[in-house]
Amino acid sequence: MKKATIILLCLAMSTTVFAQGKKKAGYNDEAESLFDYAKEVISSDARFNFAVICSPEVSMEDTANCILKRAISEIKKMKDIAVVVVVGDVTKNGTPDEIAAAHAILKKSELEYLVLPGNKDLSYRGNGGTDFKRMFGDDRFRSNVNGILFLGINTSLITDTAACHFLPQNSNWLKNQLKSIGKKAPILAFTANGLADNGVDNWVEITNQLRKYNTQLCINAMEDRFGKSVYDEVCGFSMEKVKSSYMIGYVRGSELYINRKELGGSMKTTDTIAIEAKMYLEPKKQKNKAQKEEGLVWQYKNPYAIYTGATVSTNFCYFGDDYGMFYCLDLKKGKVKWKYQTVLRIVTKPVVVDDRVLFGGCDRNLYCLNAETGEFLWKVRTEGPVIRQPIIEGGTVYIDKNDSVQYTIDLKTGEEGRPHPSSSRCPMDDGERMTVIDDKDYITTTIDGIVSRYTR
């Protein structure tokens, strides 16, 4: 009798341990339960096709016969294309007209489509990098395509440079998406730039997240190849930026066949990928303890990218971020004193004069706040995203409302004066990330949202 009791107790304990193990592993995660569709493991009889077009660079010079239009025309004649994915530089220059033309081509096709922008599509010279998101709805994507999760990861920057970077807001987005998807769902990830040092400079931050989930493949744009790659053990596929071909993927149960389709020509199967439960080893962790940077007084970590340097006054530090939040930090301790929310990202450096701080936003407004309290004083509506600093002379503010006209604004009241032809343009951000406080202290900002004070 005692022996039977002991056996029952052991079974009960093992059942409890097993249940706790399942909970710890995340199988009962509440967030996972919100996406039951994502738990479905693809079945052996699942069959669908998809297309991937890389960097078509739509230009207003030839929209009638552009690469995107020709490729879409061919894809429409194919059978069972579940979705078309456009990755990379969708447009040649990122102008509103080009973005609208690309959107019209895809919408008119009546095909399901997902679009991930390249650097050219988000260039903020003239539009603040906001037209793409306004037209396509987002600059990232997530879609369940017959049991496989398609994730479009934004790696582009709103600058005129060729640099590509995985920004903090995109990292947080990816983390939240993966957590809600769960461990079971097969994932196809897409990036507009190659996961290599000459592509996304901090690409390991992407693979470190993808390797914890069932990532089948990471498809990205490269310049010199069409084929399989390995990124930190994660299986990848590079698409060359060649204007004569695109990809057709065939999902056939437990296999993905990748085909290279010549524009106006033949199609050839180049690779086969097994669709299965993928597991990746954890990267080796550095045991060295982080050391405090020499001369670092304080550091503030913002969850969104900061595109400009900060502006300082006697007691405060000011900057805006990608989320449209404007911050005032205490200059001595680096703590947030106040913040003010606008509608779209801020890409200009603020200006402080007397007891007022002025800054422009991509929401087409010039704002004036009390520099010490953050109290709203006034705002002036402009004709486009404000990407230049205002000029302040005496009690008058000069702001560019478009390419050829400046407006005068009363600094105290916000009342607008008469427009006049612009004799000198308001300055663009000079890209300087260091702001001098005095002869020994200075402030720096980074694209990753880190604001630091140093002393020499």
Side-chain angles (χ1 to χ4, degrees):
M1 184 70 180
K2 289 183 179 180
K3 187 176 181 180
T5 303
I6 292 171
I7 291 172
L8 288 172
L9 284 171
C10 290
L11 287 171
M13 289 175 66
S14 65
T15 303
T16 303
V17 171
F18 176 71
Q20 289 175 344
K22 285 184 69 178
K23 187 174 182 181
K24 186 176 181 180
Y27 291 102
N28 295 326
D29 193 307
E30 182 180 356
E32 200 172 341
S33 68
L34 298 176
F35 296 93
D36 290 333
Y37 69 86
K39 292 182 179 180
E40 299 176 6
V41 177
I42 189 164
S43 61
S44 59
D45 60 348
R47 300 171 65 87
F48 69 92
N49 307 330
F50 65 94
V52 184
I53 303 171
C54 180
S55 300
E57 295 193 356
V58 173
S59 170
M60 295 309 296
E61 298 171 1
D62 185 20
T63 56
N65 196 40
C66 67
I67 299 298
L68 181 61
K69 196 166 188 176
R70 291 167 61 192
I72 289 295
S73 178
E74 290 186 0
I75 292 168
K76 285 185 67 176
K77 298 175 183 178
M78 300 178 187
K79 294 182 179 180
D80 304 321
I81 298 295
V83 66
V84 178
V85 184
V86 184
V87 179
D89 292 326
V90 182
T91 63
K92 186 175 182 180
N93 303 297
T95 65
D97 287 345
E98 289 177 346
I99 293 172
H103 180 263
I105 292 171
L106 290 167
K107 187 174 182 180
K108 189 177 180 180
S109 73
E110 298 184 346
L111 295 168
E112 293 294 326
Y113 60 85
L114 303 167
V115 187
L116 191 66
N119 275 15
K120 293 180 180 179
D121 305 311
L122 301 183
S123 173
Y124 72 71
R125 303 286 181 180
N127 61 21
T130 58
D131 285 317
F132 185 93
K133 193 170 183 178
R134 177 176 56 82
M135 186 64 66
F136 285 101
D138 205 347
D139 51 18
R140 303 168 295 211
F141 63 73
R142 165 185 169 160
S143 181
N144 179 4
V145 183
N146 292 27
I148 295 183
L149 268 293
F150 282 45
L151 284 182
I153 305 168
N154 188 350
T155 56
S156 300
L157 291 177
I158 57 166
T159 65
D160 287 340
T161 68
C164 304
H165 193 74
F166 189 42
L167 295 173
Q169 62 266 22
N170 295 323
S171 178
N172 291 332
W173 175 88
L174 179 60
K175 187 181 299 182
N176 291 332
Q177 297 303 313
L178 292 171
K179 184 178 179 181
S180 67
I181 286 168
K183 301 289 185 179
K184 294 182 181 180
I187 297 167
L188 283 185
F190 296 82
T191 62
N193 312 102
L195 299 187
D197 292 341
N198 61 346
V200 184
D201 57 10
N202 60 340
W203 61 273
V204 175
E205 294 187 24
I206 298 174
T207 56
N208 279 348
Q209 292 198 44
L210 292 177
R211 67 191 300 137
K212 298 176 183 177
Y213 293 82
N214 192 12
T215 304
Q216 302 296 309
L217 196 63
C218 186
I219 300 172
N220 62 83
M222 293 288 280
E223 295 191 9
D224 57 356
R225 61 172 298 161
F226 186 99
K228 287 191 288 188
S229 303
V230 177
Y231 308 114
D232 196 21
E233 299 181 2
V234 177
C235 184
F237 196 93
S238 300
M239 287 190 63
E240 58 190 342
K241 296 181 179 179
V242 173
K243 305 308 178 188
S244 61
S245 66
Y246 52 93
M247 176 196 291
I248 297 293
Y250 293 159
V251 175
R252 297 294 180 267
S254 60
E255 291 183 310
L256 165 60
Y257 297 91
I258 295 178
N259 304 274
R260 180 175 181 176
K261 174 66 173 69
E262 295 291 337
L263 196 62
S266 61
M267 183 160 59
K268 179 182 179 182
T269 301
T270 63
D271 293 278
T272 304
I273 308 293
I275 299 176
E276 57 190 0
K278 297 237 180 0
M279 296 181 66
Y280 303 96
L281 297 174
E282 284 295 318
K284 293 181 179 179
K285 296 181 179 179
Q286 298 290 336
K287 295 183 179 180
N288 298 332
K289 292 184 179 179
Q291 296 181 348
K292 185 177 179 180
E293 293 181 60
E294 184 178 355
L296 179 63
V297 178
W298 55 256
Q299 193 168 79
Y300 174 79
K301 294 184 179 180
N302 196 54
Y304 292 85
I306 299 172
Y307 297 111
T308 69
T311 297
V312 298
S313 65
T314 304
N315 299 311
F316 305 112
C317 167
Y318 306 93
F319 62 90
D321 69 10
D322 183 84
Y323 188 59
M325 188 71 77
F326 187 78
Y327 288 86
C328 171
L329 303 185
D330 177 82
L331 195 56
K332 186 176 181 180
K333 297 182 179 180
K335 303 296 183 181
V336 176
K337 181 172 176 60
W338 55 261
K339 52 188 177 180
Y340 183 87
Q341 181 69 64
T342 69
V343 178
L344 293 175
R345 66 169 59 104
I346 299 168
V347 298
T348 60
K349 194 173 180 179
V351 175
V352 178
V353 55
D354 299 329
D355 61 347
R356 299 176 181 234
V357 57
L358 290 85
F359 64 94
C362 287
D363 61 2
R364 305 189 177 197
N365 286 306
L366 174 70
Y367 293 88
C368 179
L369 309 178
N370 182 289
E372 184 172 353
T373 66
E375 178 189 358
F376 172 81
L377 299 177
W378 52 260
K379 69 178 179 181
V380 171
R381 184 72 173 172
T382 64
E383 294 177 7
V386 182
I387 60 173
R388 294 175 179 271
Q389 286 181 297
I391 296 174
I392 301 175
E393 296 178 356
T396 302
V397 180
Y398 298 87
I399 182 67
D400 291 345
K401 277 202 170 184
N402 56 37
D403 286 340
S404 59
V405 176
Q406 276 188 345
Y407 279 66
T408 58
I409 304 165
D410 185 277
L411 177 61
K412 185 176 181 180
T413 65
E415 184 178 348
E416 294 185 56
R418 297 181 63 183
H420 60 86
S422 176
S423 56
S424 61
R425 299 299 306 278
C426 293
M428 290 287 290
D429 180 65
D430 59 8
E432 179 58 54
R433 289 285 186 168
M434 186 177 79
T435 304
V436 175
I437 300 173
D438 52 37
D439 58 356
K440 67 173 184 176
D441 283 23
Y442 59 95
I443 295 283
T444 65
T445 64
T446 72
I447 192 72
D448 289 316
I450 298 175
V451 184
S452 307
R453 176 171 178 167
Y454 294 92
T455 187
R456 293 183 178 91

